[in-house]
Amino acid sequence: MEAVIVDSNRTMVGTSAIMESISSAVNGKEMTNVRFDPTAVVSEPVPAVAQSDDVDDLVNGGGGSEEEKREIVLGRNIHTSSFSVTEPDIDDDSTGDKEAYMASILARYRKTLTDRTKFHLGYPYNLDFDYGALTQLQHFSINNLGDPFIESNYGVHSRQFEVGVLDWFARLWDIEKDEYWGYITNCGTEGNLHGILVGREVFPEGILYASKESHYSVFKAARMYRMECEKVDTLLTGEIDCADFKVKLLANKDKPAIINVNIGTTVKGAVDDLDLVIKTLEDCGFSHDRFYIHCDGALFGLMMPFVKRSEAHAKNTCLLLAKQEFMKYYYEIENVKTVCSLFRYLMPLWIAQKAPKVTFKKPIGSVSVSGHKFVGCPMPCGVQLTRLEHVNALASNVEYLASRDATIMGSRNGHAPLFLWYTLNRKGYKGFQKEVQKCLRNAHYLKDRLIGAGISAMLNELSSTVVFERPKDEEFVRKWQLACERNMAHVVVMPSVTVDKLDHFLDELVEGRSMWYKDENVKPPCLASDIGSVNCCCPQHRMIS
Amino acid sequence: MEAVIVDSNRTMVGTSAIMESISSAVNGKEMTNVRFDPTAVVSEPVPAVAQSDDVDDLVNGGGGSEEEKREIVLGRNIHTSSFSVTEPDIDDDSTGDKEAYMASILARYRKTLTDRTKFHLGYPYNLDFDYGALTQLQHFSINNLGDPFIESNYGVHSRQFEVGVLDWFARLWDIEKDEYWGYITNCGTEGNLHGILVGREVFPEGILYASKESHYSVFKAARMYRMECEKVDTLLTGEIDCADFKVKLLANKDKPAIINVNIGTTVKGAVDDLDLVIKTLEDCGFSHDRFYIHCDGALFGLMMPFVKRSEAHAKNTCLLLAKQEFMKYYYEIENVKTVCSLFRYLMPLWIAQKAPKVTFKKPIGSVSVSGHKFVGCPMPCGVQLTRLEHVNALASNVEYLASRDATIMGSRNGHAPLFLWYTLNRKGYKGFQKEVQKCLRNAHYLKDRLIGAGISAMLNELSSTVVFERPKDEEFVRKWQLACERNMAHVVVMPSVTVDKLDHFLDELVEGRSMWYKDENVKPPCLASDIGSVNCCCPQHRMIS
């Protein structure tokens, strides 16, 4: 079935790190009885799957379909490497063979996970957490089925913790306990599916507006919910282009607007200007009872508040750091580069203060963030908050639960609230503040070193997502687990990403490039259309600058 | 906000076991610093939430709204008992106060979970599992984002295990590896949302047909997806009424049909007759390219195959057991009651053989089951399988994942596949077979004892869900975590439910009834309209029989 798909211009991905590690784990001498053929990685033409923009059937605006319909690199076919389930032998209980076999697969799998965790840079997941204190709860089947606020008849739940976590987020986003409703979701997508569904139930005829760089779940929601959807253009930074938004609003003044606002886009980490979005709506004649805003804060929704809230603290930190830097470079302070680098170092701490705050004091309807991203969690999860008045339109009582149904899912993971509750309690606002500052500093460090090495790169204000030239070698991309789109790759600097790890990565990247571009005829790609010519270091743009 | 709602005819639920246990945990002498007011359980009139049948706006058929619009008993408001997140003190690192505080909350919470697990009977969750071997993997952020078969760039995944599990289910349901597509979901609801969405994408104009006793997620899907929906009547057993189905199909012959078939309904554990559903479609002139069947096998989808497959084995077992029973009652074999009880004991093993098999060799489009139900799992999960040809209509490639999107959720819990893989490997078909037989035997034991005690009860063929008279005392309901609807309660006999547990429960129920119905004017409820007069032991029907 689905095969590994490679763009004809790219190296075949046949020997990357993870597969080597699994293959050596499984094909080692001790483990000859597992069906696995590492050479069976199928190379086939692109299968008849829909392209990523097939939601365009439902989406009126947008454009860019032509570009998006190019071939893209997909990962390997897992059918060639899966661990099949086998029937126990009659004498397994006495010989212990089956247990031994499983233990050896799991031990090797654990090693693979350790390696893969070590080399991870591309996804916004904080892999640095310690939930040892919660291991004692793993053997309970904890299920918060139904509404978080209304206890169901199923007693093995963790609602006490879930509501504690929700209250914390309600404080973060300025909404009173008796005015909000929310729940802990399975992932960022569930938050978006819920927020947009609430919007649609409030405005059944509403049109969904979302920038074209919004997460794919937003367009999936439009398709699922059979909503009219307008894709809005973006600026080069990845932010929503409010000029285009205005044009599209004015063309649809007769219908209410449901808007997805990105607090950190997936690829470029761009933060849509919430205040400007609201102002544009007002300017186009949309009163507050004619629009619904859902804020998709997947990653950065949980980072931004901690930069913002620390205004005074940040200034002090800046001054302190500035002093240290100045002392370090005391004798070469006349060096322009040093001053520039110092400036870059301090920038993120100041600029953060200008971000429009996400708060329910503004006319927004819902906010969602992921829990496995900045907080870190063994399994994906998220938090979704909306106004109580809205959710009542969605809810149904379910008698046999003795609770009510207002969530997307039915049975709900009761362990996730425990993980979040534990981390929020341990770290608190101050802990998050420190980590956010560290991430922003390290992101600037990475971006500066990339630019310094002549590699195209961009880092948005308020973001720890560093976008740069897509490495030519897919094996390198896989080793470092970089997320790629068109000619861009990105690294998301999370608390688990240290300067040492970034140095290791940079050294390998620079070494790799010296090989990939050894031949003078092979040039690094141009990223001008992705991140602007000012950030592009391709031969053509380097010459201009 | 949302308060505890009690029907005016019912006892106020103020001191039930779980709250006592939490309350004593939190208000104990060691824990005076937690904000908690166990007396603050709010008693308010029903809030302005939608009733459970508010999907009727979208649903044409059905009926019964009047009855469903009665007040129902909802659980407690959790806001009064939640564990709030507090900011760490500056000196917490040195004093260890915060860690100690959290450890004590968690230890007490663990005790609550142990108690609650001990007294659980109402939900179809197997609470008996041991995943100690997987604890070593808990500190990894395992995420199978994207398609199970196409590896994403995020290396910390468990697709090798996920595909192994899916292949096992593909064998179970008779579909070739290169003809199916599927994934491990977050819960039964996600399976239904996916199956019905695939159906809608195959037949955009199709009408959704589902029996009125289908899971609430089916009607939620109709509402979310803006599909026309026909609620079909049910027989007293809870099975779909194919006569009514026929009438509704004939009235809508111009539009394709999307049918949700229940392999075990939520309340009565009724299995819809798949073969009769298909025959009805054919009789009404629907050719195979004009309908799509989704089988919701939440609980029993994973039990039925293990009874069926064991035809020969079951017969042998029956004979053996029969011999044992005969020997035991050798001297009183003339006793009619003994013969009846023996018959009941053997019945489930034989009757199971007549159930229509769920298989992709029949014209079905998708099947879903829950993983946390019969298998048992710390967090909810499920398996969804469909035909590869169908899912291609739904899928989009997502470049930055290097995978494709054909699931409802985006990020996906990578631990769930490990739990399932582990249990399937350890137990195998034979292990499940044994457990299913045990459950069916114990379910019959419970039903017989209930009837013997003069309590209305029903047990469907092929089911381990025993429906009986709703206990009058809500505290009793909460203690045993019974799921209730109208005048019915049910116990779902899972592998973790032993005869000892059932005896304990029965003794308490009988004792309770002798109190509740002490006063001659207070009568047990009549269940004739729920489970038929033949199963009803209310004073009126007992007299008749």
Side-chain angles (χ1 to χ4, degrees), chain A residues 517-523:
Chain A
Y517 304 115
K518 202 165 48 184
D519 178 350
E520 266 191 12
N521 294 322
V522 185
K523 307 275 188 218

Side-chain angles (χ1 to χ4, degrees), chain A residues 134 137-138 140-146 148 154-163 165 183-186 377 379-381 410-422, chain B residues 106 109 113 125 186-187 372 377-381 413:
Chain A
L134 300 177
L137 306 176
Q138 199 198 292
F140 293 105
S141 181
I142 313 179
N143 192 332
N144 292 356
L145 64 173
Y154 182 62
V156 189
H157 67 77
S158 63
R159 283 180 170 77
Q160 318 88 302
F161 297 91
E162 183 174 19
V163 171
V165 168
Y183 74 107
I184 294 186
T185 60
N186 285 292
C377 187
M379 70 277 297
C381 63
S411 280
R412 300 191 300 108
N413 183 347
H415 291 269
L418 291 161
F419 291 120
L420 296 182
W421 182 86
Y422 187 77
Chain B
L106 290 173
Y109 176 58
L113 291 182
Y125 307 150
N186 285 294
C187 57
H372 58 297
C377 186
M379 70 275 297
C381 62
N413 183 349

Side-chain angles (χ1 to χ4, degrees), chain B residues 236-237 344 447 451 454-459 526-538 540-542 544-545:
Chain B
L236 263 180
T237 57
R344 280 205 195 97
K447 185 211 152 200
I451 297 278
I455 303 169
S456 307
M458 177 180 81
L459 171 59
C526 172
L527 271 78
S529 67
D530 290 314
I531 60 176
S533 53
V534 68
N535 295 309
C536 183
C537 301
C538 80
Q540 188 197 342
H541 289 100
R542 203 182 330 190
I544 295 169
S545 67

Side-chain angles (χ1 to χ4, degrees), chain A residues 110-407:
Chain A
R110 186 190 180 181
K111 197 182 167 303
T112 309
L113 291 181
T114 308
D115 287 353
R116 299 285 68 214
T117 297
K118 200 163 84 190
F119 286 106
H120 175 262
L121 282 180
Y123 290 81
Y125 307 148
N126 180 7
L127 305 186
D128 188 14
F129 50 76
D130 175 8
Y131 289 118
L134 300 177
T135 308
Q136 59 179 322
L137 306 176
Q138 199 198 292
H139 63 284
F140 293 105
S141 181
I142 313 179
N143 192 332
N144 292 356
L145 64 173
D147 192 296
F149 300 96
I150 305 174
E151 193 177 25
S152 81
N153 273 339
Y154 182 62
V156 189
H157 67 77
S158 63
R159 283 180 170 77
Q160 318 88 302
F161 297 91
E162 183 174 19
V163 171
V165 168
L166 294 173
D167 282 348
W168 188 88
F169 279 92
R171 276 201 305 278
L172 187 71
W173 293 323
D174 302 318
I175 184 161
E176 294 297 321
K177 278 192 193 184
D178 57 355
E179 284 178 7
Y180 86 87
W181 182 90
Y183 74 107
I184 294 186
T185 60
N186 285 292
C187 57
T189 291
E190 188 173 354
N192 289 342
L193 288 183
H194 194 273
I196 293 167
L197 184 61
V198 171
R200 197 201 67 178
E201 296 304 280
V202 173
F203 296 120
E205 297 305 311
I207 295 176
L208 177 63
Y209 298 82
S211 91
K212 63 180 187 186
E213 299 198 29
S214 301
H215 189 257
Y216 64 86
S217 59
V218 172
F219 305 108
K220 178 156 69 177
R223 178 176 168 169
M224 276 168 73
Y225 300 154
R226 292 186 157 164
M227 294 170 77
E228 215 178 316
C229 175
E230 289 278 359
K231 260 188 185 172
V232 181
D233 283 345
T234 45
L235 308 175
L236 263 179
T237 57
E239 272 173 77
I240 191 167
D241 176 356
C242 280
D244 186 52
F245 181 42
K246 189 171 189 173
V247 171
K248 283 170 178 152
L249 277 176
L250 290 174
N252 295 287
K253 281 189 70 169
D254 55 325
K255 289 189 176 168
I258 298 161
I259 310 99
N260 176 73
V261 167
N262 298 303
I263 311 302
T265 57
T266 321
V267 175
K268 294 180 181 171
V271 178
D272 290 346
D273 189 332
L274 175 61
D275 293 344
L276 190 55
V277 165
I278 294 170
K279 191 173 173 299
T280 307
L281 282 158
E282 288 168 348
D283 289 353
C284 294
F286 284 77
S287 53
H288 289 196
D289 59 353
R290 292 257 299 152
F291 65 82
Y292 179 97
I293 294 176
H294 169 69
C295 297
D296 174 8
L299 164 68
F300 211 69
L302 198 41
M303 293 179 72
M304 210 165 70
F306 299 102
V307 196
K308 286 196 53 59
R309 294 261 166 112
S310 62
E311 201 162 326
H313 176 75
K315 275 183 185 153
N316 288 339
T317 313
C318 287
L319 289 175
L320 190 71
L321 292 169
K323 196 176 151 202
Q324 286 171 355
E325 291 293 298
F326 269 104
M327 295 308 285
K328 208 161 32 174
Y329 296 106
Y330 187 71
Y331 296 105
E332 39 171 336
I333 200 72
E334 73 284 2
N335 180 337
V336 176
K337 208 175 134 200
T338 309
V339 175
C340 286
S341 117
L342 190 63
F343 182 67
R344 282 205 193 98
Y345 188 78
L346 300 175
M347 270 259 292
L349 298 167
W350 282 322
I351 53 178
Q353 290 162 25
K354 67 172 254 218
K357 192 180 169 189
V358 174
T359 162
F360 278 94
K361 290 191 175 145
K362 297 177 183 173
I364 63 171
S366 48
V367 187
S368 59
V369 290
S370 297
H372 58 298
K373 290 183 177 157
F374 196 71
V375 178
C377 187
M379 70 277 297
C381 63
V383 171
Q384 160 71 357
L385 243 64
T386 184
R387 295 179 193 274
L388 183 59
E389 60 186 303
H390 293 329
V391 89
N392 285 337
L394 196 73
S396 323
N397 290 337
V398 179
E399 186 172 14
Y400 74 86
L401 294 184
S403 187
R404 67 174 188 174
D405 178 42
T407 56

Side-chain angles (χ1 to χ4, degrees), chain A residues 26-54:
Chain A
V26 179
N27 289 340
K29 278 168 195 158
E30 308 92 323
M31 307 252 310
T32 48
N33 58 341
V34 183
R35 280 187 235 150
F36 179 78
D37 179 5
T39 64
V41 176
V42 195
S43 170
E44 281 177 18
V46 178
V49 295
Q51 291 292 330
S52 52
D53 54 345
D54 65 348

Side-chain angles (χ1 to χ4, degrees), chain B residues 19-40 80-83 104-105 108:
Chain B
M19 294 314 285
E20 266 177 13
S21 118
I22 293 174
S23 134
S24 69
V26 178
N27 288 341
K29 276 166 194 159
E30 307 92 324
M31 308 253 311
T32 47
N33 58 342
V34 182
R35 281 187 232 150
F36 178 81
D37 180 4
T39 63
T80 57
S81 61
S82 65
F83 297 128
S104 85
I105 287 200
R108 285 167 187 283

